Amino acid sequence: MTHIDFVEQLLARMTLSQKIGQMTQTERMVVSPQQVKEFHLGSVLSGGGSAPAGNRPQDWVEMNDAYWAASMDADDEHLAIPLIYGVDAIHGNNNVLGATVFPHNIGLGAMNDPDLIERIAEVTAREVLAAGVEWTFAPTLAVAKNLHWGRTYESYSSDPALVSRYSGRFVKGLQGELAEHSVVACIKHWVGDGGTSFGIDQGDTAIDWQTLSDTHIAPYLPALEQGALTVMVSFNSWNGDKCHGHHHLLTQVLKQQLGFDGFIISDWDGIDYLDDDYLKAVELSVNAGIDMFMIADKWQEFIANLHSLVADGRVQESRIDDAVRRILNVKFRYGLFDRPRPSERPFSGDALFGSAEHRLVARQAVAQSQVLLKNDAQILPLSKQASILVAGRFAHDTGALAGGFTVAWQGQTGPDALPGATSVWSAVKASAPRAILSAQGDGIEADPDAHDVAIVVIGEHPYAEGMGDIRPDENQVVESGSKINGSLKVLAPYGRSLELATLHPEDLQTIQNIIARGVPVVVVLISGRPLLVDPEMAASQAFVAAWLPGSEGAGITDVLFGDKAFTGRLSFAWPSLSGPGFERGFGLSAV
Ligand code: BGC
């Protein structure tokens, strides 16, 4: 039987309740396995940081077994259709303790290596499968155009050409031939997420069609060509109209013109902002072309609303059938109908999860993503025989290096945030036996008789989404929001300025503590984006943009000590208070 016959025969047997259930996805915390069966749900997800107790791969496999078994428990009321479980594995399987955590996308952009991108996606897929999960909401194909945007680090580059060089390769690494070792990819967020006015998260992208197409749509093309099976809609609006209700962008452009035959999923309660009347919001979004709906608390209300819209003829059954056909097709093409329960799948609980082999791939990516911005008097590479003072807020912090979307939605800080991870201090100590850690981190013990050089690790603490926005002026929200049809959800921003000295004055103080005592400083900046760092750069002898490198801090010391060359190049232009900053493509080599 061809897969089309299979899907059509299944569809023909489904009741309206079963179809609407397939179109519904909700969060693990608000749904039991029994409800998955009762409401015939097509999917369950983990929102950022949501994990079963214990949070080890085995705990995830057990949880997924229970959901899967419920979805497959056929009786007179319920057809066996395997549930698909989705997670944000956006830099490795980052929700799970002990996972290999890769650099966030901005660092991967600086590494400019499509082969390594594909390998990273393969490793990520393997670690997702280890948890009994089959779907990741990745890769993000945003082309970030304003550094104020809190999601800038999820963007490989401000250059659509670089994002396009990666997009297809990442999807290939995840999905491969849709075989045993594959997971389903979800390219996001369609479309224009990186182009909002003032860089406001979930804001309005006010640009003409040509710019939208050339800048924000272009990177999707190689990913679609590679067969990306799912696409997530973006929270943003395009010229005032929300993507979640945008028939033209979802149905005409994506499905019809670009021939996308997988399914479209909404973002987290993304339909809420279309209209105050939820019934109307459901109507608009289903008719715009969304196939599966990511709904948190009010998923039962969504189901009830969609039933009544069909009964009233406001949503045609043909639209429901189209959505369900697409969902079943994806499940079929991925081979979900033939896969056994998660615990019996080949890579569940896989020993390669968080293994040395996988961590080496991440370490390589970290080393290649470091961008050297300044190296006076060739202070780098450092000698391993040097006596090195390691200071700064993030000197011995694994959580800060990983950033947002790591174990918790907003990320975490602290030396033990990520089991198995290596902080900069741990990595330095392993290479340079005479290194010492600054007691309070502030470097006041610096002493030229005792220390040849200091490494100072500073920067932004972890954040995710709108909580990473920089908003100099609250009027921007009013101005931006007033142009949007529907409502704008605004979170408290990270700060008011991109100046590090304003955001974290203690960082400059640490550098000054050390240079005032006569010890030269090498800065390692941990950040989700280029920051204004004029005084910090002026005071230091060498300056490295380390981005959000993830679990393998030794990738940083690989280049600091010259075991590997600095090959990273900026994938975003770097601003400066004094006028000229650094162009995209800039990066020194320390040889
Ligand atoms: C984010 C998505 C993410 C989803 C599920 C949303 O808030 O915008 O990128 O995939 O949550 O966690």
Side-chain angles (χ1 to χ4, degrees):
M1 182 160 47
T2 69
H3 92 255
I4 294 177
D5 293 338
F6 177 90
V7 166
E8 290 307 322
Q9 286 180 19
L10 189 53
L11 190 64
R13 293 167 56 207
M14 290 171 77
T15 63
L16 183 61
S17 295
Q18 290 166 351
K19 291 176 185 175
I20 290 176
Q22 274 305 306
M23 294 169 68
T24 310
Q25 179 194 61
T26 190
E27 218 281 341
R28 55 168 285 282
M29 289 193 290
V30 295
V31 69
S32 64
Q34 197 192 336
Q35 287 175 313
V36 162
K37 175 175 174 178
E38 186 185 340
F39 292 90
H40 323 289
L41 300 188
S43 178
V44 174
L45 89 148
S46 278
S50 172
N55 196 12
R56 296 287 177 167
Q58 207 43 51
D59 305 309
W60 285 76
V61 172
E62 274 169 33
M63 172 185 74
N64 281 311
D65 260 4
Y67 283 130
W68 181 90
S71 73
M72 295 301 282
D73 186 19
D75 58 30
D76 290 350
E77 307 285 309
H78 181 71
L79 284 171
I81 300 175
L83 170 117
I84 185 165
Y85 198 99
V87 298
D88 292 298
I90 66 169
H91 61 145
N93 194 3
N94 43 64
N95 277 323
V96 186
L97 290 178
T100 305
V101 179
F102 290 92
H104 270 298
N105 287 351
I106 193 165
L108 301 183
M111 128 193 135
N112 199 7
D113 184 343
D115 293 336
L116 191 50
I117 277 292
E118 186 175 329
R119 179 77 190 117
I120 288 169
E122 285 170 2
V123 169
T124 301
R126 190 70 174 250
E127 297 208 1
V128 167
L129 291 171
V133 171
E134 50 277 298
W135 185 18
T136 172
F137 308 126
T140 300
L141 302 182
V143 178
K145 287 296 185 187
N146 189 323
L147 300 176
H148 287 175
W149 188 36
R151 305 190 80 155
T152 299
Y153 68 75
E154 293 184 62
S155 173
Y156 296 120
S157 177
S158 59
D159 177 10
L162 175 50
V163 183
S164 300
R165 279 201 294 284
Y166 278 6
S167 61
R169 297 296 295 275
F170 201 90
V171 169
K172 182 159 182 246
L174 290 177
Q175 293 193 173
E177 310 302 318
L178 299 177
E180 256 178 2
H181 53 268
S182 307
V183 299
V184 174
C186 183
I187 47 181
K188 68 187 190 184
H189 308 82
W190 179 267
V191 62
D193 49 357
T196 61
S197 305
F198 312 111
I200 290 175
D201 190 42
Q202 311 193 359
D204 185 29
T205 296
I207 53 179
D208 63 19
W209 163 254
Q210 203 54 50
T211 314
L212 186 76
S213 176
D214 294 349
T215 305
H216 301 281
I217 292 181
Y220 283 77
L221 305 184
L224 292 170
E225 205 153 300
Q226 193 51 237
L229 288 172
T230 69
V231 175
M232 190 185 291
V233 188
S234 188
F235 282 119
N236 70 273
S237 303
W238 178 41
N239 294 325
D241 295 322
K242 298 264 180 204
C243 290
H244 275 83
H246 216 298
H247 184 267
H248 177 71
L249 288 177
L250 300 179
T251 297
Q252 284 167 267
V253 177
L254 182 57
K255 289 180 174 175
Q256 291 168 358
Q257 290 168 21
L258 299 178
F260 172 62
D261 61 359
F263 71 80
I264 299 180
I265 182 163
S266 69
D267 201 345
W268 182 276
D269 283 339
I271 66 171
D272 287 25
Y273 311 99
L274 291 175
D275 201 287
D276 291 340
D277 173 6
Y278 196 52
L279 186 73
K280 181 86 189 153
V282 174
E283 177 184 15
L284 285 170
S285 55
V286 176
N287 287 335
I290 298 179
D291 304 304
M292 186 185 274
F293 293 77
M294 185 190 289
I295 314 276
D297 298 325
K298 51 181 179 302
W299 59 273
Q300 294 195 39
E301 196 182 333
F302 167 80
I303 288 174
N305 280 187
L306 192 44
H307 270 284
S308 80
L309 289 166
V310 174
D312 294 347
R314 287 164 67 179
V315 169
Q316 300 301 309
E317 246 195 284
S318 56
R319 174 72 269 273
I320 302 286
D321 285 347
D322 170 53
V324 177
R325 192 177 277 123
R326 286 168 176 273
I327 294 165
L328 296 177
N329 240 306
V330 165
K331 290 184 172 182
F332 187 89
R333 283 166 61 191
Y334 177 62
L336 206 51
F337 287 93
D338 295 326
R339 289 181 200 232
R341 65 180 59 241
S343 59
E344 287 166 14
R345 295 180 193 165
F347 300 121
S348 290
D350 191 42
L352 280 176
F353 178 89
S355 63
E357 182 183 331
H358 283 180
R359 288 176 188 279
L360 260 183
V361 179
R363 179 172 173 173
Q364 173 79 23
V366 175
Q368 288 190 35
S369 65
Q370 302 305 295
V371 180
L372 182 59
L373 295 176
K374 177 180 181 181
N375 190 21
D376 271 8
Q378 303 288 305
I379 193 171
L380 294 179
L382 301 174
S383 159
K384 291 178 183 170
Q385 274 64 54
S387 71
I388 303 168
L389 178 65
V390 183
R393 282 182 298 129
F394 302 143
H396 187 35
D397 192 317
T398 56
L401 266 55
F405 281 104
T406 319
V407 184
W409 178 44
Q410 293 292 326
Q412 290 173 329
T413 50
D416 306 318
L418 303 186
T422 305
S423 71
V424 174
W425 160 244
S426 307
V428 170
K429 194 176 54 166
S431 293
R434 296 173 61 208
I436 63 149
L437 181 65
S438 168
Q440 303 302 323
D442 56 4
I444 51 165
E445 62 271 77
D447 173 356
D449 294 332
H451 310 121
D452 302 318
V453 62
I455 296 173
V456 175
V457 192
I458 53 176
E460 293 182 312
H461 62 69
Y463 55 79
E465 303 190 37
M467 288 166 91
D469 283 3
I470 296 289
R471 212 176 302 132
D473 171 3
E474 284 303 321
N475 284 330
Q476 292 180 343
V477 168
V478 179
E479 189 181 326
S480 188
S482 66
K483 298 193 180 122
I484 292 178
N485 299 315
S487 61
L488 178 65
K489 178 180 160 205
V490 183
L491 299 170
Y494 186 94
R496 303 257 164 248
S497 157
L498 279 173
E499 282 180 61
L500 182 60
T502 306
L503 296 171
H504 299 290
E506 63 277 29
D507 287 349
L508 181 57
Q509 187 58 53
T510 299
I511 298 170
Q512 283 166 346
N513 291 342
I514 299 170
I515 58 167
R517 290 167 172 81
V519 175
V521 163
V522 174
V523 168
V524 173
L525 181 75
I526 304 300
S527 70
R529 54 194 150 203
L531 297 173
L532 288 161
V533 289
D534 300 50
E536 295 84 356
M537 197 167 309
S540 57
Q541 205 142 2
F543 199 100
V544 178
W547 316 110
L548 299 169
S551 57
E552 304 315 305
I556 299 175
T557 48
D558 284 341
V559 289
L560 293 182
F561 290 120
D563 291 333
K564 286 182 182 150
F566 274 96
T567 54
R569 300 291 179 259
L570 295 177
S571 63
F572 284 80
W574 193 291
S576 162
L577 289 166
S578 66
F582 302 104
E583 301 279 310
R584 192 167 63 208
F586 181 81
L588 301 170
S589 317
V591 279

